[in-house]
Every structure is written in C-alpha cells, then in structure tokens.
Amino acid sequence: MAMEDSPLSRRQLLWGAAGAAGTVLATVELPRLMESDAKLKVALASPVLKDPVAAAGPPTTRRRHALVDYAPAVWVEASESNYTSSDRPEDYPIEYVVIHLTTDHLPIMLSKFKDPAERVSAHYVVSATGTRIAQCVRERDVAWHSGSVWYNHRSIGIEHEGWTDQPVYTDGMYEASAVLAATICAKYDVPVDRDHIVGHVEIPLSTHDDPGPVWNWNTYMKLVETAHRRIRT
C-alpha cells in the first residue's frame, strides 16, 4: 500500500532521513567536522561504522532501539512525573534548542531526572568528554528544562556535564552536541542561528546562568552549521 501523501507523512520521511544522516555523521569520527566537505563526503559515501552504542559509552543492555530518537544515544528514562506527555510537533511546533549545563556529574543528573520529587528533566545529556549521550525524554514529549512553560512546549533541551564556575568544555563535547543539535534542527526545520539555539540564561525571566560565559558560542555554532549542512546534503 502506498504511503499517504500528506504533510505529516512527508515530515516523517524527513525526520527519518535527518536522523539517519545525523547518526552517520556522529559515527564517522566527530573531529572530521573540522575537515573539508570534500573529505567528509568520501567518508560518508562508504563509512566504516562503529557500533553507536559502543561510541556512546554505556553497555548495550541499557539501549532500547524503539525509544531513542537519536541512534547514538542510550535510553535513560526520566520519571513520568518530570515531563509532560505530548505528540509534538503536532501538538506544539519544535522551534528552539536550549543549551544547559548540568552543574553535576552525569550519573547524579540522570538520577535527578529519575526522581519524581525533582520535577525537572531534559531530552538529552551529553557527557563532559562527548563520548556518552543519554536520552531521558522522547522528543515528542515536553521536558521540564527551561523554567518557562511556553519554551518547554516548543523546545528540546540538551544538558552538558559541567559546572559554570569550573567549566571544562572539551572539543569532544562541543562536537557531539553540535551533531545532535544539527540533527534536531534538520528534523524539525529549526533555523540554525542564535535566535533559535539559545542558552538557558537567555530564556525570558530565567533564574539560571548556564551554560555560562566560558561556553564558546562561536565555536559551537560553526560546528552546528557545518554538521547541519552535511546532514542536509
């Protein structure tokens, strides 16, 4: 039976294509983001794919293929008390990516998302080295990450392991996060600019200052732009 030709079915095809391209880009040595387009096209044409779970870090027993929206991530589910079930982008458009800093070690942050008393979550958490990405909330659902109901409904939140007063932003973290953000932008047609990829501190009435003054927005946005261009071509 032919697939229904509707805006939703066409969007679903785009989501699948963007996700697959982002996965390939994430598994073909992230530092190649700094190389020329010509070199990367050769690599993407016939990649030697590493096991995405191995690249992400945690053991395969924690991986549930049906639940992750981004293949290199591992599924570490947040408590249902810490997010709102939804059917985005049908219920709400996804228009922003919000960048956060955990201010805790990765395992502690993940345990907070699992604690129903915390009332907080994010869609993704990227480790300090960039070698592990956890997905805690499905992209279709509304994570409670920005402090603003309006932005929560219209954004995907990415946490980064670190502290604002002692930030250690590694190249690996920037690169892994950039490919993830670029994949999200390609999937939901989010513009790759500083009006739509924002820090938690930039959310109106925010009481947080993350990702902090040491976060290199110029470097990060160049990486996102490069990854986004390669995902879409």
Side-chain angles (χ1 to χ4, degrees):
M1 182 175 64
M3 179 179 288
E4 178 187 359
D5 185 18
S6 67
L8 176 58
S9 64
R10 289 193 290 273
R11 279 199 298 273
Q12 289 170 332
L13 286 172
L14 174 61
W15 299 342
T23 298
V24 171
L25 191 57
T27 54
V28 180
E29 295 185 22
L30 289 174
R32 293 191 189 186
L33 279 177
M34 308 305 293
E35 296 182 3
S36 67
D37 285 344
K39 287 183 180 180
L40 190 76
K41 285 179 180 178
V42 173
L44 292 179
S46 51
V48 179
L49 293 179
K50 297 178 287 186
D51 181 346
V53 179
T60 57
T61 54
R62 295 179 63 191
R63 176 72 177 278
R64 291 193 233 165
H65 288 276
L67 294 180
V68 292
D69 296 298
Y70 182 63
V74 294
W75 179 243
V76 185
E77 185 175 12
S79 167
E80 292 182 357
S81 298
N82 292 339
Y83 67 89
T84 303
S85 295
S86 187
D87 187 22
R88 303 188 304 170
E90 296 306 299
D91 291 348
Y92 304 95
I94 295 175
E95 301 174 312
Y96 301 92
V97 175
V98 181
I99 302 300
H100 299 267
L101 187 66
T102 62
T103 68
D104 267 317
H105 289 294
L106 181 64
I108 296 175
M109 201 67 195
L110 295 177
S111 69
K112 286 184 177 181
F113 291 172
K114 285 181 169 295
D115 183 349
E118 289 289 340
R119 313 294 287 175
V120 67
S121 63
H123 294 93
Y124 294 98
V125 187
V126 181
S127 71
T129 60
T131 56
R132 303 179 191 178
I133 299 176
Q135 181 171 1
C136 305
V137 177
R138 292 296 304 271
E139 291 176 3
R140 69 182 178 224
D141 294 326
V142 177
W144 300 348
H145 62 97
S146 75
S148 162
V149 172
W150 193 91
Y151 273 91
N152 282 349
H153 280 105
R154 293 162 177 81
S155 65
I156 289 178
I158 304 176
E159 288 274 3
H160 299 79
E161 185 180 24
W163 294 262
T164 52
D165 58 340
Q166 296 177 329
V168 181
Y169 296 129
T170 64
D171 290 344
M173 172 187 275
Y174 280 127
E175 292 159 357
S177 176
V179 176
L180 170 59
T183 304
I184 292 166
C185 290
K187 189 186 298 185
Y188 300 107
D189 203 23
V190 177
V192 179
D193 58 39
R194 287 285 286 112
D195 290 329
H196 297 86
I197 301 176
V198 299
H200 193 179
V201 66
E202 296 170 301
I203 300 299
L205 304 180
S206 175
T207 59
H208 292 251
D209 59 2
D210 57 311
V214 181
W215 178 266
N216 192 326
W217 279 108
N218 287 335
T219 294
Y220 185 69
M221 291 305 298
K222 287 178 182 177
L223 290 168
V224 177
E225 290 165 3
T226 301
H228 185 263
R229 183 172 65 250
R230 293 171 180 175
I231 287 170
R232 295 299 293 263
T233 57

